[in-house]
PDB file of all heavy atoms in Angstrom:
ATOM      1  N   LEU C  18    -111.402 168.063 -91.562  1.00  0.00           N
ATOM      2  CA  LEU C  18    -112.926 168.169 -91.723  1.00  0.00           C
ATOM      3  C   LEU C  18    -113.276 169.407 -92.554  1.00  0.00           C
ATOM      4  O   LEU C  18    -114.159 169.323 -93.440  1.00  0.00           O
ATOM      5  CB  LEU C  18    -113.573 168.283 -90.351  1.00  0.00           C
ATOM      6  CG  LEU C  18    -113.624 166.991 -89.504  1.00  0.00           C
ATOM      7  CD1 LEU C  18    -114.283 167.313 -88.197  1.00  0.00           C
ATOM      8  CD2 LEU C  18    -114.349 165.906 -90.265  1.00  0.00           C
ATOM      9  N   LYS C  19    -112.511 170.494 -92.412  1.00  0.00           N
ATOM     10  CA  LYS C  19    -112.779 171.659 -93.181  1.00  0.00           C
ATOM     11  C   LYS C  19    -112.445 171.422 -94.678  1.00  0.00           C
ATOM     12  O   LYS C  19    -112.929 172.146 -95.562  1.00  0.00           O
ATOM     13  CB  LYS C  19    -111.924 172.858 -92.655  1.00  0.00           C
ATOM     14  CG  LYS C  19    -112.289 173.250 -91.236  1.00  0.00           C
ATOM     15  CD  LYS C  19    -111.303 174.222 -90.715  1.00  0.00           C
ATOM     16  CE  LYS C  19    -111.512 174.499 -89.215  1.00  0.00           C
ATOM     17  NZ  LYS C  19    -110.485 175.471 -88.671  1.00  0.00           N
ATOM     18  N   ARG C  20    -111.599 170.434 -94.924  1.00  0.00           N
ATOM     19  CA  ARG C  20    -111.205 170.110 -96.304  1.00  0.00           C
ATOM     20  C   ARG C  20    -112.002 168.974 -96.871  1.00  0.00           C
ATOM     21  O   ARG C  20    -111.620 168.385 -97.856  1.00  0.00           O
ATOM     22  CB  ARG C  20    -109.749 169.806 -96.337  1.00  0.00           C
ATOM     23  CG  ARG C  20    -108.781 170.988 -96.046  1.00  0.00           C
ATOM     24  CD  ARG C  20    -108.820 171.980 -97.199  1.00  0.00           C
ATOM     25  NE  ARG C  20    -107.797 172.982 -97.088  1.00  0.00           N
ATOM     26  CZ  ARG C  20    -107.975 174.222 -96.601  1.00  0.00           C
ATOM     27  NH1 ARG C  20    -109.170 174.572 -96.103  1.00  0.00           N
ATOM     28  NH2 ARG C  20    -106.977 175.068 -96.541  1.00  0.00           N
ATOM     29  N   ASP C  21    -113.106 168.657 -96.182  1.00  0.00           N
ATOM     30  CA  ASP C  21    -114.010 167.574 -96.612  1.00  0.00           C
ATOM     31  C   ASP C  21    -113.346 166.206 -96.642  1.00  0.00           C
ATOM     32  O   ASP C  21    -113.611 165.335 -97.504  1.00  0.00           O
ATOM     33  CB  ASP C  21    -114.582 167.868 -97.994  1.00  0.00           C
ATOM     34  CG  ASP C  21    -115.575 169.030 -98.001  1.00  0.00           C
ATOM     35  OD1 ASP C  21    -116.321 169.137 -97.022  1.00  0.00           O
ATOM     36  OD2 ASP C  21    -115.542 169.783 -98.944  1.00  0.00           O
ATOM     37  N   VAL C  22    -112.393 165.956 -95.754  1.00  0.00           N
ATOM     38  CA  VAL C  22    -111.723 164.715 -95.629  1.00  0.00           C
ATOM     39  C   VAL C  22    -112.390 163.862 -94.574  1.00  0.00           C
ATOM     40  O   VAL C  22    -112.795 164.359 -93.500  1.00  0.00           O
ATOM     41  CB  VAL C  22    -110.193 164.892 -95.274  1.00  0.00           C
ATOM     42  CG1 VAL C  22    -109.559 163.542 -95.033  1.00  0.00           C
ATOM     43  CG2 VAL C  22    -109.500 165.653 -96.395  1.00  0.00           C
ATOM     44  N   ASP C  23    -112.570 162.571 -94.905  1.00  0.00           N
ATOM     45  CA  ASP C  23    -113.135 161.637 -93.923  1.00  0.00           C
ATOM     46  C   ASP C  23    -112.041 161.303 -92.896  1.00  0.00           C
ATOM     47  O   ASP C  23    -111.051 160.617 -93.192  1.00  0.00           O
ATOM     48  CB  ASP C  23    -113.607 160.354 -94.648  1.00  0.00           C
ATOM     49  CG  ASP C  23    -114.221 159.353 -93.653  1.00  0.00           C
ATOM     50  OD1 ASP C  23    -114.540 159.765 -92.541  1.00  0.00           O
ATOM     51  OD2 ASP C  23    -114.314 158.157 -94.041  1.00  0.00           O
ATOM     52  N   VAL C  24    -112.208 161.812 -91.672  1.00  0.00           N
ATOM     53  CA  VAL C  24    -111.148 161.657 -90.702  1.00  0.00           C
ATOM     54  C   VAL C  24    -111.738 161.038 -89.406  1.00  0.00           C
ATOM     55  O   VAL C  24    -112.866 161.382 -89.045  1.00  0.00           O
ATOM     56  CB  VAL C  24    -110.462 162.993 -90.350  1.00  0.00           C
ATOM     57  CG1 VAL C  24    -111.498 164.060 -89.865  1.00  0.00           C
ATOM     58  CG2 VAL C  24    -109.353 162.887 -89.354  1.00  0.00           C
ATOM     59  N   ARG C  25    -110.974 160.165 -88.758  1.00  0.00           N
ATOM     60  CA  ARG C  25    -111.430 159.516 -87.545  1.00  0.00           C
ATOM     61  C   ARG C  25    -110.309 159.543 -86.533  1.00  0.00           C
ATOM     62  O   ARG C  25    -109.163 159.238 -86.864  1.00  0.00           O
ATOM     63  CB  ARG C  25    -111.823 158.051 -87.790  1.00  0.00           C
ATOM     64  CG  ARG C  25    -112.716 157.828 -88.997  1.00  0.00           C
ATOM     65  CD  ARG C  25    -114.147 158.292 -88.788  1.00  0.00           C
ATOM     66  NE  ARG C  25    -114.931 158.211 -89.994  1.00  0.00           N
ATOM     67  CZ  ARG C  25    -115.546 157.098 -90.395  1.00  0.00           C
ATOM     68  NH1 ARG C  25    -115.376 155.971 -89.677  1.00  0.00           N
ATOM     69  NH2 ARG C  25    -116.249 157.044 -91.488  1.00  0.00           N
ATOM     70  N   MET C  26    -110.649 159.838 -85.258  1.00  0.00           N
ATOM     71  CA  MET C  26    -109.669 159.725 -84.197  1.00  0.00           C
ATOM     72  C   MET C  26    -109.708 158.241 -83.712  1.00  0.00           C
ATOM     73  O   MET C  26    -110.847 157.644 -83.637  1.00  0.00           O
ATOM     74  CB  MET C  26    -110.012 160.616 -83.012  1.00  0.00           C
ATOM     75  CG  MET C  26    -110.050 162.133 -83.342  1.00  0.00           C
ATOM     76  SD  MET C  26    -108.488 162.809 -83.915  1.00  0.00           S
ATOM     77  CE  MET C  26    -107.441 162.446 -82.551  1.00  0.00           C
ATOM     78  N   VAL C  27    -108.594 157.688 -83.370  1.00  0.00           N
ATOM     79  CA  VAL C  27    -108.526 156.334 -82.763  1.00  0.00           C
ATOM     80  C   VAL C  27    -107.748 156.511 -81.487  1.00  0.00           C
ATOM     81  O   VAL C  27    -106.587 156.810 -81.468  1.00  0.00           O
ATOM     82  CB  VAL C  27    -107.832 155.324 -83.706  1.00  0.00           C
ATOM     83  CG1 VAL C  27    -107.886 153.965 -83.030  1.00  0.00           C
ATOM     84  CG2 VAL C  27    -108.588 155.300 -85.015  1.00  0.00           C
ATOM     85  N   TYR C  28    -108.442 156.320 -80.365  1.00  0.00           N
ATOM     86  CA  TYR C  28    -107.824 156.604 -79.017  1.00  0.00           C
ATOM     87  C   TYR C  28    -107.216 155.280 -78.457  1.00  0.00           C
ATOM     88  O   TYR C  28    -107.822 154.259 -78.504  1.00  0.00           O
ATOM     89  CB  TYR C  28    -108.824 157.181 -78.038  1.00  0.00           C
ATOM     90  CG  TYR C  28    -109.332 158.568 -78.491  1.00  0.00           C
ATOM     91  CD1 TYR C  28    -110.647 158.635 -79.083  1.00  0.00           C
ATOM     92  CD2 TYR C  28    -108.621 159.663 -78.394  1.00  0.00           C
ATOM     93  CE1 TYR C  28    -111.143 159.862 -79.510  1.00  0.00           C
ATOM     94  CE2 TYR C  28    -109.074 160.908 -78.806  1.00  0.00           C
ATOM     95  CZ  TYR C  28    -110.341 160.993 -79.357  1.00  0.00           C
ATOM     96  OH  TYR C  28    -110.823 162.221 -79.756  1.00  0.00           O
ATOM     97  N   PHE C  29    -106.018 155.445 -77.916  1.00  0.00           N
ATOM     98  CA  PHE C  29    -105.320 154.312 -77.295  1.00  0.00           C
ATOM     99  C   PHE C  29    -105.072 154.538 -75.820  1.00  0.00           C
ATOM    100  O   PHE C  29    -104.691 155.651 -75.484  1.00  0.00           O
ATOM    101  CB  PHE C  29    -104.019 154.061 -78.035  1.00  0.00           C
ATOM    102  CG  PHE C  29    -104.153 153.568 -79.444  1.00  0.00           C
ATOM    103  CD1 PHE C  29    -104.315 154.464 -80.485  1.00  0.00           C
ATOM    104  CD2 PHE C  29    -104.140 152.198 -79.693  1.00  0.00           C
ATOM    105  CE1 PHE C  29    -104.505 154.003 -81.787  1.00  0.00           C
ATOM    106  CE2 PHE C  29    -104.301 151.739 -80.965  1.00  0.00           C
ATOM    107  CZ  PHE C  29    -104.437 152.642 -82.062  1.00  0.00           C
ATOM    108  N   PRO C  30    -105.285 153.549 -74.982  1.00  0.00           N
ATOM    109  CA  PRO C  30    -105.809 152.202 -75.331  1.00  0.00           C
ATOM    110  C   PRO C  30    -107.196 152.214 -75.794  1.00  0.00           C
ATOM    111  O   PRO C  30    -108.035 153.064 -75.386  1.00  0.00           O
ATOM    112  CB  PRO C  30    -105.631 151.411 -73.974  1.00  0.00           C
ATOM    113  CG  PRO C  30    -105.719 152.487 -72.957  1.00  0.00           C
ATOM    114  CD  PRO C  30    -105.062 153.689 -73.521  1.00  0.00           C
ATOM    115  N   VAL C  31    -107.495 151.341 -76.755  1.00  0.00           N
ATOM    116  CA  VAL C  31    -108.851 151.267 -77.405  1.00  0.00           C
ATOM    117  C   VAL C  31    -109.851 150.746 -76.422  1.00  0.00           C
ATOM    118  O   VAL C  31    -109.622 149.708 -75.790  1.00  0.00           O
ATOM    119  CB  VAL C  31    -108.753 150.419 -78.640  1.00  0.00           C
ATOM    120  CG1 VAL C  31    -110.179 150.280 -79.225  1.00  0.00           C
ATOM    121  CG2 VAL C  31    -107.824 150.986 -79.660  1.00  0.00           C
ATOM    122  N   THR C  32    -110.984 151.486 -76.262  1.00  0.00           N
ATOM    123  CA  THR C  32    -112.125 151.013 -75.524  1.00  0.00           C
ATOM    124  C   THR C  32    -113.348 151.398 -76.313  1.00  0.00           C
ATOM    125  O   THR C  32    -113.232 151.996 -77.407  1.00  0.00           O
ATOM    126  CB  THR C  32    -112.205 151.736 -74.104  1.00  0.00           C
ATOM    127  OG1 THR C  32    -112.541 153.100 -74.338  1.00  0.00           O
ATOM    128  CG2 THR C  32    -110.878 151.640 -73.404  1.00  0.00           C
ATOM    129  N   HIS C  33    -114.509 151.139 -75.804  1.00  0.00           N
ATOM    130  CA  HIS C  33    -115.728 151.460 -76.526  1.00  0.00           C
ATOM    131  C   HIS C  33    -116.318 152.788 -75.997  1.00  0.00           C
ATOM    132  O   HIS C  33    -117.409 153.177 -76.345  1.00  0.00           O
ATOM    133  CB  HIS C  33    -116.764 150.372 -76.415  1.00  0.00           C
ATOM    134  CG  HIS C  33    -116.368 149.057 -77.151  1.00  0.00           C
ATOM    135  ND1 HIS C  33    -116.385 149.038 -78.520  1.00  0.00           N
ATOM    136  CD2 HIS C  33    -115.920 147.908 -76.721  1.00  0.00           C
ATOM    137  CE1 HIS C  33    -115.987 147.842 -78.935  1.00  0.00           C
ATOM    138  NE2 HIS C  33    -115.684 147.144 -77.820  1.00  0.00           N
ATOM    139  N   GLU C  34    -115.521 153.460 -75.142  1.00  0.00           N
ATOM    140  CA  GLU C  34    -115.998 154.742 -74.589  1.00  0.00           C
ATOM    141  C   GLU C  34    -115.379 155.916 -75.380  1.00  0.00           C
ATOM    142  O   GLU C  34    -114.241 155.819 -75.843  1.00  0.00           O
ATOM    143  CB  GLU C  34    -115.601 154.846 -73.133  1.00  0.00           C
ATOM    144  CG  GLU C  34    -116.224 153.803 -72.252  1.00  0.00           C
ATOM    145  CD  GLU C  34    -115.796 153.957 -70.780  1.00  0.00           C
ATOM    146  OE1 GLU C  34    -114.958 154.854 -70.526  1.00  0.00           O
ATOM    147  OE2 GLU C  34    -116.269 153.156 -69.932  1.00  0.00           O
ATOM    148  N   ARG C  35    -116.115 156.937 -75.469  1.00  0.00           N
ATOM    149  CA  ARG C  35    -115.688 158.122 -76.187  1.00  0.00           C
ATOM    150  C   ARG C  35    -114.707 158.900 -75.310  1.00  0.00           C
ATOM    151  O   ARG C  35    -114.866 158.954 -74.113  1.00  0.00           O
ATOM    152  CB  ARG C  35    -116.832 159.014 -76.616  1.00  0.00           C
ATOM    153  CG  ARG C  35    -116.382 160.329 -77.312  1.00  0.00           C
ATOM    154  CD  ARG C  35    -117.582 161.221 -77.604  1.00  0.00           C
ATOM    155  NE  ARG C  35    -117.151 162.323 -78.420  1.00  0.00           N
ATOM    156  CZ  ARG C  35    -117.092 162.405 -79.726  1.00  0.00           C
ATOM    157  NH1 ARG C  35    -117.466 161.339 -80.421  1.00  0.00           N
ATOM    158  NH2 ARG C  35    -116.686 163.455 -80.359  1.00  0.00           N
ATOM    159  N   ASP C  36    -113.652 159.486 -75.927  1.00  0.00           N
ATOM    160  CA  ASP C  36    -112.719 160.311 -75.175  1.00  0.00           C
ATOM    161  C   ASP C  36    -113.308 161.745 -75.249  1.00  0.00           C
ATOM    162  O   ASP C  36    -113.472 162.369 -76.287  1.00  0.00           O
ATOM    163  CB  ASP C  36    -111.350 160.331 -75.854  1.00  0.00           C
ATOM    164  CG  ASP C  36    -110.330 161.068 -75.046  1.00  0.00           C
ATOM    165  OD1 ASP C  36    -110.502 162.268 -74.820  1.00  0.00           O
ATOM    166  OD2 ASP C  36    -109.300 160.491 -74.675  1.00  0.00           O
ATOM    167  N   ASP C  37    -113.654 162.299 -74.052  1.00  0.00           N
ATOM    168  CA  ASP C  37    -114.302 163.588 -73.979  1.00  0.00           C
ATOM    169  C   ASP C  37    -113.381 164.728 -73.618  1.00  0.00           C
ATOM    170  O   ASP C  37    -113.818 165.882 -73.405  1.00  0.00           O
ATOM    171  CB  ASP C  37    -115.446 163.568 -72.970  1.00  0.00           C
ATOM    172  CG  ASP C  37    -116.609 162.661 -73.410  1.00  0.00           C
ATOM    173  OD1 ASP C  37    -116.881 162.655 -74.695  1.00  0.00           O
ATOM    174  OD2 ASP C  37    -117.237 162.030 -72.609  1.00  0.00           O
ATOM    175  N   VAL C  38    -112.054 164.507 -73.548  1.00  0.00           N
ATOM    176  CA  VAL C  38    -111.085 165.568 -73.237  1.00  0.00           C
ATOM    177  C   VAL C  38    -111.180 166.648 -74.218  1.00  0.00           C
ATOM    178  O   VAL C  38    -111.071 167.837 -73.877  1.00  0.00           O
ATOM    179  CB  VAL C  38    -109.678 164.965 -73.111  1.00  0.00           C
ATOM    180  CG1 VAL C  38    -108.666 166.069 -72.917  1.00  0.00           C
ATOM    181  CG2 VAL C  38    -109.609 163.992 -71.977  1.00  0.00           C
ATOM    182  N   PHE C  39    -111.344 166.340 -75.490  1.00  0.00           N
ATOM    183  CA  PHE C  39    -111.368 167.368 -76.523  1.00  0.00           C
ATOM    184  C   PHE C  39    -112.761 167.282 -77.239  1.00  0.00           C
ATOM    185  O   PHE C  39    -112.841 167.438 -78.466  1.00  0.00           O
ATOM    186  CB  PHE C  39    -110.262 167.167 -77.591  1.00  0.00           C
ATOM    187  CG  PHE C  39    -108.898 167.481 -77.043  1.00  0.00           C
ATOM    188  CD1 PHE C  39    -108.044 166.495 -76.625  1.00  0.00           C
ATOM    189  CD2 PHE C  39    -108.467 168.816 -76.892  1.00  0.00           C
ATOM    190  CE1 PHE C  39    -106.777 166.801 -76.140  1.00  0.00           C
ATOM    191  CE2 PHE C  39    -107.223 169.127 -76.417  1.00  0.00           C
ATOM    192  CZ  PHE C  39    -106.386 168.059 -76.001  1.00  0.00           C
ATOM    193  N   ALA C  40    -113.808 167.109 -76.489  1.00  0.00           N
ATOM    194  CA  ALA C  40    -115.145 166.989 -77.023  1.00  0.00           C
ATOM    195  C   ALA C  40    -115.566 168.232 -77.829  1.00  0.00           C
ATOM    196  O   ALA C  40    -116.363 168.119 -78.769  1.00  0.00           O
ATOM    197  CB  ALA C  40    -116.151 166.725 -75.953  1.00  0.00           C
ATOM    198  N   GLU C  41    -114.976 169.393 -77.511  1.00  0.00           N
ATOM    199  CA  GLU C  41    -115.389 170.650 -78.159  1.00  0.00           C
ATOM    200  C   GLU C  41    -115.011 170.633 -79.673  1.00  0.00           C
ATOM    201  O   GLU C  41    -115.573 171.344 -80.455  1.00  0.00           O
ATOM    202  CB  GLU C  41    -114.765 171.832 -77.525  1.00  0.00           C
ATOM    203  CG  GLU C  41    -113.273 171.997 -77.571  1.00  0.00           C
ATOM    204  CD  GLU C  41    -112.494 171.313 -76.466  1.00  0.00           C
ATOM    205  OE1 GLU C  41    -113.033 170.429 -75.842  1.00  0.00           O
ATOM    206  OE2 GLU C  41    -111.346 171.766 -76.212  1.00  0.00           O
ATOM    207  N   TYR C  42    -114.047 169.754 -80.057  1.00  0.00           N
ATOM    208  CA  TYR C  42    -113.684 169.704 -81.448  1.00  0.00           C
ATOM    209  C   TYR C  42    -114.637 168.825 -82.276  1.00  0.00           C
ATOM    210  O   TYR C  42    -114.649 168.939 -83.496  1.00  0.00           O
ATOM    211  CB  TYR C  42    -112.252 169.075 -81.566  1.00  0.00           C
ATOM    212  CG  TYR C  42    -111.174 170.127 -81.302  1.00  0.00           C
ATOM    213  CD1 TYR C  42    -110.686 170.217 -79.978  1.00  0.00           C
ATOM    214  CD2 TYR C  42    -110.640 170.934 -82.274  1.00  0.00           C
ATOM    215  CE1 TYR C  42    -109.692 171.158 -79.659  1.00  0.00           C
ATOM    216  CE2 TYR C  42    -109.680 171.874 -81.935  1.00  0.00           C
ATOM    217  CZ  TYR C  42    -109.188 171.969 -80.635  1.00  0.00           C
ATOM    218  OH  TYR C  42    -108.195 172.898 -80.357  1.00  0.00           O
ATOM    219  N   ARG C  43    -115.458 168.006 -81.659  1.00  0.00           N
ATOM    220  CA  ARG C  43    -116.440 167.234 -82.305  1.00  0.00           C
ATOM    221  C   ARG C  43    -115.865 166.430 -83.454  1.00  0.00           C
ATOM    222  O   ARG C  43    -116.406 166.436 -84.602  1.00  0.00           O
ATOM    223  CB  ARG C  43    -117.615 168.101 -82.722  1.00  0.00           C
ATOM    224  CG  ARG C  43    -118.239 168.881 -81.584  1.00  0.00           C
ATOM    225  CD  ARG C  43    -119.482 169.647 -82.016  1.00  0.00           C
ATOM    226  NE  ARG C  43    -119.965 170.473 -80.943  1.00  0.00           N
ATOM    227  CZ  ARG C  43    -120.748 170.057 -79.946  1.00  0.00           C
ATOM    228  NH1 ARG C  43    -121.128 168.831 -79.907  1.00  0.00           N
ATOM    229  NH2 ARG C  43    -121.142 170.894 -78.962  1.00  0.00           N
ATOM    230  N   ILE C  44    -114.823 165.691 -83.208  1.00  0.00           N
ATOM    231  CA  ILE C  44    -114.205 164.884 -84.240  1.00  0.00           C
ATOM    232  C   ILE C  44    -114.756 163.443 -84.248  1.00  0.00           C
ATOM    233  O   ILE C  44    -114.834 162.851 -83.138  1.00  0.00           O
ATOM    234  CB  ILE C  44    -112.639 164.830 -84.053  1.00  0.00           C
ATOM    235  CG1 ILE C  44    -112.081 166.235 -83.886  1.00  0.00           C
ATOM    236  CG2 ILE C  44    -112.021 164.078 -85.242  1.00  0.00           C
ATOM    237  CD1 ILE C  44    -112.299 167.121 -85.087  1.00  0.00           C
ATOM    238  N   PRO C  45    -115.137 162.850 -85.331  1.00  0.00           N
ATOM    239  CA  PRO C  45    -115.566 161.501 -85.342  1.00  0.00           C
ATOM    240  C   PRO C  45    -114.470 160.602 -84.823  1.00  0.00           C
ATOM    241  O   PRO C  45    -113.289 160.901 -85.008  1.00  0.00           O
ATOM    242  CB  PRO C  45    -115.880 161.181 -86.809  1.00  0.00           C
ATOM    243  CG  PRO C  45    -116.128 162.527 -87.446  1.00  0.00           C
ATOM    244  CD  PRO C  45    -115.235 163.480 -86.690  1.00  0.00           C
ATOM    245  N   TYR C  46    -114.861 159.426 -84.217  1.00  0.00           N
ATOM    246  CA  TYR C  46    -113.804 158.533 -83.756  1.00  0.00           C
ATOM    247  C   TYR C  46    -114.213 157.084 -84.128  1.00  0.00           C
ATOM    248  O   TYR C  46    -115.394 156.757 -84.396  1.00  0.00           O
ATOM    249  CB  TYR C  46    -113.591 158.673 -82.257  1.00  0.00           C
ATOM    250  CG  TYR C  46    -114.779 158.182 -81.385  1.00  0.00           C
ATOM    251  CD1 TYR C  46    -114.633 156.845 -80.771  1.00  0.00           C
ATOM    252  CD2 TYR C  46    -115.893 158.860 -81.160  1.00  0.00           C
ATOM    253  CE1 TYR C  46    -115.627 156.335 -80.028  1.00  0.00           C
ATOM    254  CE2 TYR C  46    -116.921 158.338 -80.386  1.00  0.00           C
ATOM    255  CZ  TYR C  46    -116.803 157.095 -79.806  1.00  0.00           C
ATOM    256  OH  TYR C  46    -117.835 156.591 -79.072  1.00  0.00           O
ATOM    257  N   ASP C  47    -113.230 156.214 -84.090  1.00  0.00           N
ATOM    258  CA  ASP C  47    -113.471 154.769 -84.375  1.00  0.00           C
ATOM    259  C   ASP C  47    -112.588 153.965 -83.451  1.00  0.00           C
ATOM    260  O   ASP C  47    -111.630 154.511 -82.820  1.00  0.00           O
ATOM    261  CB  ASP C  47    -113.099 154.546 -85.844  1.00  0.00           C
ATOM    262  CG  ASP C  47    -113.920 153.438 -86.442  1.00  0.00           C
ATOM    263  OD1 ASP C  47    -114.356 152.528 -85.651  1.00  0.00           O
ATOM    264  OD2 ASP C  47    -114.191 153.511 -87.688  1.00  0.00           O
ATOM    265  N   ASN C  48    -112.940 152.685 -83.316  1.00  0.00           N
ATOM    266  CA  ASN C  48    -112.146 151.771 -82.437  1.00  0.00           C
ATOM    267  C   ASN C  48    -111.281 150.855 -83.273  1.00  0.00           C
ATOM    268  O   ASN C  48    -110.638 149.995 -82.685  1.00  0.00           O
ATOM    269  CB  ASN C  48    -113.067 151.021 -81.570  1.00  0.00           C
ATOM    270  CG  ASN C  48    -113.745 151.909 -80.507  1.00  0.00           C
ATOM    271  OD1 ASN C  48    -113.155 152.817 -79.978  1.00  0.00           O
ATOM    272  ND2 ASN C  48    -114.995 151.627 -80.236  1.00  0.00           N
ATOM    273  N   SER C  49    -111.328 150.966 -84.610  1.00  0.00           N
ATOM    274  CA  SER C  49    -110.488 150.105 -85.412  1.00  0.00           C
ATOM    275  C   SER C  49    -110.027 150.868 -86.660  1.00  0.00           C
ATOM    276  O   SER C  49    -110.549 151.978 -86.921  1.00  0.00           O
ATOM    277  CB  SER C  49    -111.289 148.857 -85.864  1.00  0.00           C
ATOM    278  OG  SER C  49    -112.405 149.270 -86.618  1.00  0.00           O
ATOM    279  N   ILE C  50    -109.038 150.395 -87.347  1.00  0.00           N
ATOM    280  CA  ILE C  50    -108.435 151.083 -88.454  1.00  0.00           C
ATOM    281  C   ILE C  50    -108.572 150.188 -89.698  1.00  0.00           C
ATOM    282  O   ILE C  50    -108.078 149.048 -89.696  1.00  0.00           O
ATOM    283  CB  ILE C  50    -106.954 151.328 -88.224  1.00  0.00           C
ATOM    284  CG1 ILE C  50    -106.772 152.233 -87.011  1.00  0.00           C
ATOM    285  CG2 ILE C  50    -106.271 151.996 -89.472  1.00  0.00           C
ATOM    286  CD1 ILE C  50    -105.361 152.452 -86.555  1.00  0.00           C
ATOM    287  N   ALA C  51    -109.270 150.701 -90.723  1.00  0.00           N
ATOM    288  CA  ALA C  51    -109.445 149.922 -91.991  1.00  0.00           C
ATOM    289  C   ALA C  51    -108.145 150.092 -92.831  1.00  0.00           C
ATOM    290  O   ALA C  51    -107.828 151.223 -93.194  1.00  0.00           O
ATOM    291  CB  ALA C  51    -110.673 150.434 -92.748  1.00  0.00           C
ATOM    292  N   ALA C  52    -107.474 149.039 -93.094  1.00  0.00           N
ATOM    293  CA  ALA C  52    -106.141 149.122 -93.692  1.00  0.00           C
ATOM    294  C   ALA C  52    -106.143 149.100 -95.209  1.00  0.00           C
ATOM    295  O   ALA C  52    -105.307 148.408 -95.842  1.00  0.00           O
ATOM    296  CB  ALA C  52    -105.309 147.953 -93.149  1.00  0.00           C
ATOM    297  N   GLY C  53    -107.040 149.778 -95.867  1.00  0.00           N
ATOM    298  CA  GLY C  53    -107.060 149.837 -97.291  1.00  0.00           C
ATOM    299  C   GLY C  53    -105.916 150.703 -97.840  1.00  0.00           C
ATOM    300  O   GLY C  53    -105.401 151.607 -97.146  1.00  0.00           O
ATOM    301  N   ALA C  54    -105.518 150.448 -99.097  1.00  0.00           N
ATOM    302  CA  ALA C  54    -104.420 151.191 -99.699  1.00  0.00           C
ATOM    303  C   ALA C  54    -104.706 152.672 -99.836  1.00  0.00           C
ATOM    304  O   ALA C  54    -103.796 153.470 -99.932  1.00  0.00           O
ATOM    305  CB  ALA C  54    -104.074 150.571-101.053  1.00  0.00           C
ATOM    306  N   GLN C  55    -105.993 153.036 -99.913  1.00  0.00           N
ATOM    307  CA  GLN C  55    -106.366 154.424-100.066  1.00  0.00           C
ATOM    308  C   GLN C  55    -106.360 155.152 -98.745  1.00  0.00           C
ATOM    309  O   GLN C  55    -106.456 156.421 -98.699  1.00  0.00           O
ATOM    310  CB  GLN C  55    -107.742 154.567-100.701  1.00  0.00           C
ATOM    311  CG  GLN C  55    -108.926 154.270 -99.756  1.00  0.00           C
ATOM    312  CD  GLN C  55    -109.157 152.780 -99.534  1.00  0.00           C
ATOM    313  OE1 GLN C  55    -108.387 151.917 -99.950  1.00  0.00           O
ATOM    314  NE2 GLN C  55    -110.238 152.446 -98.857  1.00  0.00           N
ATOM    315  N   ASN C  56    -106.275 154.463 -97.622  1.00  0.00           N
ATOM    316  CA  ASN C  56    -106.380 155.085 -96.287  1.00  0.00           C
ATOM    317  C   ASN C  56    -105.000 155.482 -95.759  1.00  0.00           C
ATOM    318  O   ASN C  56    -103.963 155.033 -96.241  1.00  0.00           O
ATOM    319  CB  ASN C  56    -107.072 154.129 -95.331  1.00  0.00           C
ATOM    320  CG  ASN C  56    -108.472 153.924 -95.737  1.00  0.00           C
ATOM    321  OD1 ASN C  56    -109.121 154.737 -96.431  1.00  0.00           O
ATOM    322  ND2 ASN C  56    -109.065 152.798 -95.295  1.00  0.00           N
ATOM    323  N   VAL C  57    -105.078 156.323 -94.714  1.00  0.00           N
ATOM    324  CA  VAL C  57    -103.782 156.834 -94.105  1.00  0.00           C
ATOM    325  C   VAL C  57    -103.906 156.757 -92.615  1.00  0.00           C
ATOM    326  O   VAL C  57    -104.900 157.045 -92.042  1.00  0.00           O
ATOM    327  CB  VAL C  57    -103.600 158.299 -94.533  1.00  0.00           C
ATOM    328  CG1 VAL C  57    -102.318 158.898 -93.887  1.00  0.00           C
ATOM    329  CG2 VAL C  57    -103.498 158.500 -96.051  1.00  0.00           C
TER     330      VAL C  57
END
């Protein structure tokens, strides 16, 4: 995030609830992974 990179956490097992264990880091999260060639 500090390097202006679009980053998302994906928590497993996947649910529609946010994982609050590390809420203090305020990292965006997603429930799916877009498999484009530009993504990692």
Side-chain angles (χ1 to χ4, degrees):
L18 287 179
K19 299 171 188 177
R20 292 291 191 261
D21 291 324
V22 174
D23 182 16
V24 59
R25 313 288 175 84
M26 303 298 301
V27 182
Y28 297 102
F29 290 87
V31 175
T32 71
H33 292 289
E34 297 180 359
R35 181 183 182 89
D36 186 303
D37 291 325
V38 174
F39 291 101
E41 68 268 25
Y42 282 91
R43 302 185 185 277
I44 309 299
Y46 73 100
D47 212 327
N48 291 323
S49 61
I50 299 171
Q55 77 281 8
N56 295 337
V57 179

